[in-house]
């Protein structure tokens, strides 16, 4: 029976990768050492009863054949391979036996085996879908199984990471963990399609193998009967050639029957040629033709020694051995040993080249192993670093992702350590993810606290958004907005919604405030127009020269200006223009500097009071107090300087200048103190 579990016994190049199976095959496959022959080409399989437990032909046939051989029966056959060459020949025979069972599998050599480890899961699924379109399902079997292994390794690693994240978010509880990964469903569907195609293929193959085996056994039976038939030698030889052609096209049979059935067929071919001594000329013609064919095979084998693609060369060598064994008959005895030794030597050379090639591949795998170990060490080092900010963690995550890509692209490692290296890699990444998840668990806790704070502000803003007390509510709403800015991030899934609610409440309130102010602004706009006209009228105002009269007139203009009322905030620049005119008028009056300064200051205080901005009055008071401190410090410094030059005469120019400066600062100090007194009095009112 054809068993699926045996499909992987050989690798893509026909090498047996199961030592136990290889030893079994060596016992089942008779070597050339088991064949004895005579001058006429008769060959008997000495160990055939050991391979199958029964003879492929009747014992008396062996005895009769042996009687007809010459005395050199125990000599080595012409095509016996030296012991040192058996590994090369057996490797080819084992692979050919496998291919003989399922010819559709032979195409597997023509499809390159990619480094599927470097593929992403999406690319692996795409590659599986592409291979499914191949006509011969067994030719892609090894590729698909490799793709499946890599996909599930990556998928299981992903699930472990997601489960760890879930565990960190739920205090170690994973009972409710469920992660939906649509690509997994797609991959499973594709793989199930492949499995269905493979099962259908095996069903057809089982039936075909049985039918083909019966056909080949019938050909052997017909060949046996031909020896004792009454046909002429010419017709018999023609008949044999027809049987050989039918044999060549008979189709695959079970691999465990392959060598047994072929040796049986080969024995009866040799037995037939033993009877050709009756027509030696016809036999010699066939020997010559067979020799020419084998010479051409040797010539091609010599060319293969120069083939750069050693895998391709070895595959073709397998085909040449199959042709030598299955399609070409025997040659004259004097050529047998020499021509087989030539072919065996070429086989050995090519086999040695192949072994050297695979030796280099193993060296490369060792280099890949060292590289992967280095990458794992780098991941472990990063996992051990202390990181305390989101940006720093993002940088670490990028490093890990880069190292993951390098690991998958590093190439294959020796198969005996592959699982261990993969486990080390997963463990290193898992340790990194555990530390990362622990950090973000704390971040999420902080974000939840921030969410609670922002939700409280949203609730407060919504409770004030319809307030009619604009004077009291506006500062509170502005304070809420400032407080919102100081709160950190919230969980992303709530970020947009909580901001939307807060913004809506604030906009609702301030839209109402602006509408209210626009209604009040109608009077302010009218006041602005009146003040524009008043400014134009001041262009014609001239001082009379009488101090008191002019001062009263200026004060009257100030009173008139105030009486007009407040102007819109955006048009307050008109106040500056009025103040410039006042400054020019005061400069023309014969007032003392202090008196003029105080008149202008009083006007400024009244303008600040009209602005409804208490902070501006507070800032003005703070400014005056600061100026008083500065002037007092200057006076103290100048008085200290005088002490250093105390022995200088009073009429010393430097002393005079310092004393004048002290007096100026004292006058300035009196003015600032008067302003402070005035603004405090203004605030009390």
């Amino acid at each position: 029976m054809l068993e699926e579990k045996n499909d992987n016994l050989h690798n893509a190049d026909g090498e047996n990768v199961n030592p136990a199976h290889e030893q079994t095959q060596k016992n089942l496959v008779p070597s050339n050492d088991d064949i004895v022959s005579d001058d006429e080409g008769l060959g008997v399989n000495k160990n055939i009863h050991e391979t199958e437990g029964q003879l492929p032909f009747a014992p008396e046939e062996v005895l009769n054949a042996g009687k007809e051989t010459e005395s050199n029966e125990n000599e080595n056959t012409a095509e016996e391979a030296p012991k040192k060459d058996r590994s090369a020949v057996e490797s080819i025979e084992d692979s050919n036996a496998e291919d003989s069972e399922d010819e559709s599998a032979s195409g597997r050599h023509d499809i390159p085996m990619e480094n599927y480890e470097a593929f992403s899961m999406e690319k692996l699924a795409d590659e599986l879908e592409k291979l499914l379109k191949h006509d011969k399902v067994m030719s892609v079997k090894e590729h698909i199984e490799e793709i499946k292994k890599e996909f599930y390794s990556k998928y299981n690693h992903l699930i472990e990471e997601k489960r760890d994240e879930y565990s960190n978010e739920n205090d170690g509880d994973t009972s409710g963990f469920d992660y939906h990964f649509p690509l997994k469903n797609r991959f499973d569907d594709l793989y199930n399609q492949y499995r269905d195609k493979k099962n259908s293929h095996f069903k057809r193959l089982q039936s075909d193998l049985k039918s083909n085996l019966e056909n080949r056994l019938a050909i052997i039976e017909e060949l046996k009967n031909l020896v004792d038939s009454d046909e002429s030698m010419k017709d018999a030889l023609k008949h044999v050639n027809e049987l050989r052609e039918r044999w060549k096209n008979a189709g695959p049979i079970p691999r465990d029957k392959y060598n047994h059935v072929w040796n049986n067929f080969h024995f009866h071919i040799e037995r037939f040629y033993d009877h050709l001594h009756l027509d030696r000329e016809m036999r010699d013609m066939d020997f010559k033709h067979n020799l020419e064919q084998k010479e051409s095979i040797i010539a091609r084998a010599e060319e293969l020694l120069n083939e750069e693609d050693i895998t391709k060369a070895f595959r073709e060598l397998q085909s040449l051995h199959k042709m030598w064994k299955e399609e070409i008959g025997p040659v004259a005895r004097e050529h047998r040993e020499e021509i087989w030794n030539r072919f065996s030597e070429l086989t050995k050379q090519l086999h040695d080249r192949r072994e050297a090639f695979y030796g280099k591949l193993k060296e490369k795998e060792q280099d890949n192993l060292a590289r992967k170990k280095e990458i794992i060490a780098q991941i472990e080092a990063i996992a051990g670093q202390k990181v305390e900010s989101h940006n720093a963690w993002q940088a670490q995550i990028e490093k890990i992702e880069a190292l993951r890509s390098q690991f998958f692209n590093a190439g294959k490692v020796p198969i005996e350590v592959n699982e261990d290296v993969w486990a080390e890699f997963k463990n290193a990444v898992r340790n990194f993810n555990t530390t990362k998840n622990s950090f973000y668990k704390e971040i999420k806790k902080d974000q939840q606290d921030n969410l609670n704070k922002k939700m409280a502000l949203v609730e407060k803003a919504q409770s004030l958004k319809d307030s009619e007390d604009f004077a009291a509510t506006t500062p509170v709403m502005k304070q809420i907005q400032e407080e919102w800015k100081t709160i950190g991030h919230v969980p992303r899934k709530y970020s947009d919604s909580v901001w939307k609610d807060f913004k809506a409440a604030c906009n609702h309130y301030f839209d109402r405030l602006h509408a209210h102010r626009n209604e009040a602004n109608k009077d302010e706009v009218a006041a602005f127009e009146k003040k524009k006209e008043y400014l134009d009228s001041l262009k014609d105002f001239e001082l009379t020269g009488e101090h008191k009269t002019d001062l009263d007139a200026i004060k009257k203009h100030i009173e008139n200006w105030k009486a007009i009322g407040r102007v819109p905030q955006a048009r307050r620049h008109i106040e500056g223009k009025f103040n410039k005119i006042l400054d020019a008028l005061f400069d023309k009056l014969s007032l003392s500097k202090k008196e003029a300064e105080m008149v202008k200051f009083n006007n400024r205080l009244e303008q600040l009071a009209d602005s409804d901005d208490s902070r501006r009055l507070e800032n003005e008071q703070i400014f005056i107090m600061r100026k008083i401190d500065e002037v007092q410090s200057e006076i103290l410094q100048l008085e200290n300087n005088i002490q250093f030059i105390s022995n200088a005469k009073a009429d010393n120019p430097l002393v005079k200048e310092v004393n004048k400066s002290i007096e100026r600062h004292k006058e300035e100090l009196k003015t600032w103190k008067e302003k402070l007194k005035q603004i405090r009095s203004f605030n009390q009112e």
Side-chain angles (χ1 to χ4, degrees):
M1 295 293 292
L2 181 64
E3 298 181 3
E4 182 178 347
K5 65 182 180 181
N6 290 330
D7 291 342
N8 286 329
L9 292 176
H10 295 78
N11 66 14
D13 296 310
E15 292 181 313
N16 192 305
V17 295
N18 187 327
H21 179 76
E22 181 177 8
Q23 185 61 43
T24 303
Q25 288 296 319
K26 288 181 179 179
N27 292 334
L28 290 176
V29 180
S31 69
N32 286 329
D33 294 331
D34 300 326
I35 305 296
V36 294
S37 64
D38 63 358
D39 289 341
E40 306 301 325
L42 176 62
V44 181
N45 187 333
K46 297 189 296 182
N47 290 338
I48 198 71
H49 63 283
E50 297 176 358
T51 62
E52 294 296 330
Q54 61 180 2
L55 291 174
F57 36 80
E60 60 269 25
E61 292 177 336
V62 179
L63 295 175
N64 292 335
K67 292 177 181 178
E68 296 171 358
T69 59
E70 297 181 2
S71 61
N72 58 356
E73 183 181 32
N74 293 324
E75 293 180 2
N76 290 336
T77 65
E79 298 190 4
E80 178 184 4
K83 295 290 185 182
K84 62 181 180 179
D85 296 340
R86 289 305 298 158
S87 61
V89 175
E90 287 173 356
S91 176
I92 292 174
E93 287 183 346
D94 288 345
S95 183
N96 282 340
E98 180 184 9
D99 289 347
S100 74
E101 181 178 70
D102 187 358
E103 293 176 342
S104 69
S106 60
R108 69 187 184 276
H109 303 298
D110 301 325
I111 303 173
M113 183 69 74
E114 303 284 353
N115 179 20
Y116 294 121
E117 188 179 32
F119 283 24
S120 66
M121 284 191 283
E122 290 79 4
K123 191 172 181 181
L124 287 170
D126 293 340
E127 187 71 10
L128 173 58
E129 186 172 20
K130 184 178 76 172
L131 291 176
L132 270 178
K133 298 176 182 178
H134 202 282
D135 293 336
K136 297 181 179 180
V137 64
M138 295 306 294
S139 66
V140 296
K141 176 182 180 298
E142 294 174 5
H143 302 72
I144 290 180
E145 293 302 327
E146 186 70 17
I147 287 173
K148 177 188 175 185
K149 184 190 78 172
E150 295 299 337
F151 182 89
Y152 278 100
S153 293
K154 289 180 170 61
Y155 172 74
N156 291 332
H157 185 48
L158 173 66
I159 293 300
E160 289 175 7
E161 289 182 344
K162 297 300 181 182
R163 184 181 288 107
D164 288 343
E165 291 178 5
Y166 185 88
S167 175
N168 276 279
E169 293 173 355
N170 295 274
D171 299 323
D173 181 19
T174 59
S175 57
F177 173 74
D178 183 28
Y179 184 74
H180 180 60
F181 190 55
L183 185 63
K184 168 70 161 46
N185 295 335
R186 178 191 170 210
F187 187 89
D188 287 345
D189 289 341
L190 291 170
Y191 187 79
N192 288 337
Q193 292 178 37
Y194 156 73
R195 188 174 57 188
D196 291 342
K197 287 181 66 175
K198 185 176 68 172
N199 291 339
S200 297
H201 169 77
F202 278 136
K203 289 179 181 179
R204 292 193 303 270
L205 185 61
Q206 288 284 11
S207 176
D208 292 344
L209 291 176
K210 181 178 179 181
S211 175
N212 294 339
L213 177 60
E214 293 173 353
N215 186 24
R216 287 184 183 270
L217 293 176
I219 292 174
I220 292 173
E221 191 65 25
E222 190 173 344
L223 181 60
K224 286 168 58 178
N225 296 331
L226 184 62
V227 175
D228 300 322
S229 70
D230 296 333
E231 291 186 48
S232 65
M233 286 298 102
K234 183 176 180 181
D235 291 339
L237 186 58
K238 181 179 179 182
H239 194 167
V240 165
N241 288 334
E242 291 175 354
L243 292 176
R244 286 170 61 181
E245 188 65 24
R246 284 165 54 193
W247 180 270
K248 184 171 66 174
N249 298 318
I253 62 173
R255 74 179 72 174
D256 58 339
K257 307 292 184 185
Y258 174 73
N259 283 290
H260 165 69
V261 172
W262 182 86
N263 281 321
N264 203 346
F265 176 76
H266 183 70
F267 165 74
H268 289 290
I269 287 289
E270 295 283 356
R271 185 165 175 256
F272 171 78
Y273 274 94
D274 176 55
H275 285 73
L276 283 185
H277 64 276
L278 301 175
D279 194 342
R280 187 175 298 272
E281 180 180 355
M282 188 173 296
R283 184 188 66 174
D284 290 345
M285 286 178 61
D286 200 45
F287 279 167
K288 181 181 179 182
H289 175 69
N290 294 338
L291 180 62
E292 290 173 352
Q293 288 185 296
K294 291 187 175 183
E295 289 282 4
S296 65
I297 287 178
I298 290 174
R300 179 54 187 160
E302 290 174 340
E303 294 175 0
L304 291 179
L305 290 176
N306 299 318
E307 171 63 51
E308 293 184 3
D309 188 341
I310 185 63
T311 303
K312 177 182 176 182
F314 197 79
R315 289 201 303 268
E316 187 170 345
L317 182 65
Q318 288 178 225
S319 298
L320 294 179
H321 269 266
K322 190 172 183 179
M323 290 171 58
W324 186 289
K325 183 174 183 178
E326 296 188 18
E327 300 179 15
I328 304 175
V331 299
R333 188 180 187 284
E334 62 268 20
H335 299 300
R336 290 178 188 174
E337 183 176 359
E338 182 268 337
I339 198 167
W340 172 250
N341 287 342
R342 285 169 59 194
F343 190 39
S344 297
E345 179 58 28
L346 292 171
T347 299
K348 180 181 180 300
Q349 292 179 33
L350 197 55
H351 185 268
D352 291 345
R353 276 191 62 201
R354 183 168 177 263
E355 290 298 307
F357 171 76
Y358 281 109
K360 290 182 179 179
L361 287 184
K362 291 184 181 298
E363 291 178 4
K364 178 62 176 175
E365 288 179 351
Q366 289 295 333
D367 292 340
N368 296 342
L369 175 62
R371 175 59 182 147
K372 287 192 172 183
K373 290 280 190 180
E374 179 185 348
I375 292 171
I376 292 171
Q378 292 181 39
I379 294 175
E380 291 173 340
I382 292 175
Q385 294 175 2
K386 189 175 182 180
V387 181
E388 297 181 347
S389 71
H390 170 70
N391 289 338
W393 269 110
Q394 291 303 304
Q396 296 293 77
I397 291 171
E398 289 181 4
K399 291 179 184 177
I400 294 297
E401 288 302 316
L403 289 172
R404 282 168 59 106
S405 296
Q406 292 175 29
F407 181 89
F408 291 132
N409 290 320
K412 293 185 177 181
V413 300
I415 191 170
E416 63 271 14
V417 299
N418 185 57
E419 291 298 328
D420 293 338
V421 172
W422 174 245
E424 290 178 25
F425 170 74
K426 288 198 299 181
N427 187 57
V429 174
R430 185 184 297 111
N431 290 339
F432 171 81
N433 287 335
T434 300
T435 307
K436 176 198 69 175
N437 293 339
S438 178
F439 170 80
Y440 280 103
K441 183 180 179 181
E442 292 299 320
I443 291 292
K444 289 181 178 179
K445 181 180 178 182
D446 293 340
Q447 289 182 348
Q448 186 62 43
D449 292 340
N450 294 337
L451 176 63
N452 294 336
K453 293 177 182 179
K454 288 192 172 183
M455 290 295 291
L457 292 181
V458 170
E459 185 177 351
K460 189 173 183 180
Q462 289 176 339
S463 68
L464 295 173
K465 67 179 183 178
D466 293 317
S467 173
E468 297 294 338
D469 188 356
F470 294 107
T473 305
T474 299
V476 177
M477 291 296 287
K478 290 182 177 180
Q479 181 184 356
I480 290 175
Q481 289 180 322
E482 291 300 321
E483 188 176 347
W484 181 278
K485 296 176 183 177
T486 64
I487 301 175
H489 295 288
V490 302
R492 181 173 297 179
K493 60 181 178 180
Y494 300 114
S495 179
D496 291 340
S497 61
V498 73
W499 166 245
K500 183 179 178 181
D501 293 343
F502 181 72
K503 184 179 179 182
C506 291
N507 287 346
H508 178 80
Y509 173 78
F510 285 105
D511 287 344
R512 292 178 59 249
L513 175 64
H514 294 154
H516 174 76
R517 286 181 174 177
N518 288 339
E519 187 66 27
N521 279 351
K522 292 179 180 180
D523 295 336
E524 293 180 354
V525 172
F528 173 75
E529 295 298 328
K530 291 179 181 179
K531 285 190 174 183
K532 279 178 62 178
E533 294 175 0
Y534 199 86
L535 280 180
D536 291 338
S537 67
L538 284 178
K539 294 178 181 179
D540 300 329
F541 175 73
E542 293 183 0
L543 298 175
T544 63
E546 291 291 332
H547 176 76
K548 186 176 183 310
T549 302
D550 290 339
L551 181 59
D552 291 341
I554 292 174
K555 288 182 178 181
K556 183 63 176 176
H557 284 307
I558 292 174
E559 291 175 3
N560 293 339
W561 184 267
K562 291 179 181 178
I564 294 174
R566 184 181 302 171
V567 300
Q569 182 70 31
R571 301 180 182 183
R572 290 287 175 89
H573 60 276
I574 198 170
E575 302 292 343
K577 293 181 179 180
F578 179 69
N579 289 334
K580 287 183 180 180
I581 293 175
L582 291 182
D583 290 342
L585 292 174
F586 280 124
D587 290 341
K588 293 178 181 180
L589 288 177
S590 56
L591 294 175
S592 67
K593 182 176 180 181
K594 178 181 177 182
E595 186 179 7
E597 186 71 23
M598 291 306 298
V599 172
K600 288 190 287 185
F601 181 69
N602 285 332
N603 181 56
R604 174 172 172 77
L605 286 182
E606 292 179 356
Q607 290 180 354
L608 291 176
D610 290 340
S611 66
D612 286 337
D613 191 348
S614 60
R615 289 181 300 179
R616 297 182 67 181
L617 282 172
E618 292 174 2
N619 292 338
E620 185 70 19
Q621 182 173 333
I622 293 171
F623 173 75
I624 293 172
M625 294 171 66
R626 188 181 297 117
K627 292 301 292 185
I628 290 173
D629 290 340
E630 290 177 1
V631 174
Q632 287 177 337
S633 296
E634 285 289 333
I635 293 172
L636 182 61
Q637 182 65 43
L638 289 170
E639 289 176 346
N640 288 337
N641 292 342
I642 286 292
Q643 292 178 4
F644 286 113
I645 54 175
S646 57
N647 41 350
K649 295 180 179 180
D651 59 350
N652 186 295
L654 180 59
V655 174
K656 288 182 178 181
E657 184 62 32
V658 172
N659 286 328
K660 287 181 181 180
S661 181
I662 291 173
E663 290 301 320
R664 286 196 304 271
H665 280 83
K666 286 183 177 180
E667 288 296 323
E668 185 180 355
L669 179 61
K670 290 179 182 179
T671 303
W672 285 116
K673 286 184 176 180
E674 184 66 27
K675 287 183 178 181
L676 180 60
K677 180 180 178 181
Q678 188 74 13
I679 197 170
R680 284 175 174 171
S681 175
F682 195 88
N683 285 334
Q684 290 176 357
E685 295 176 358

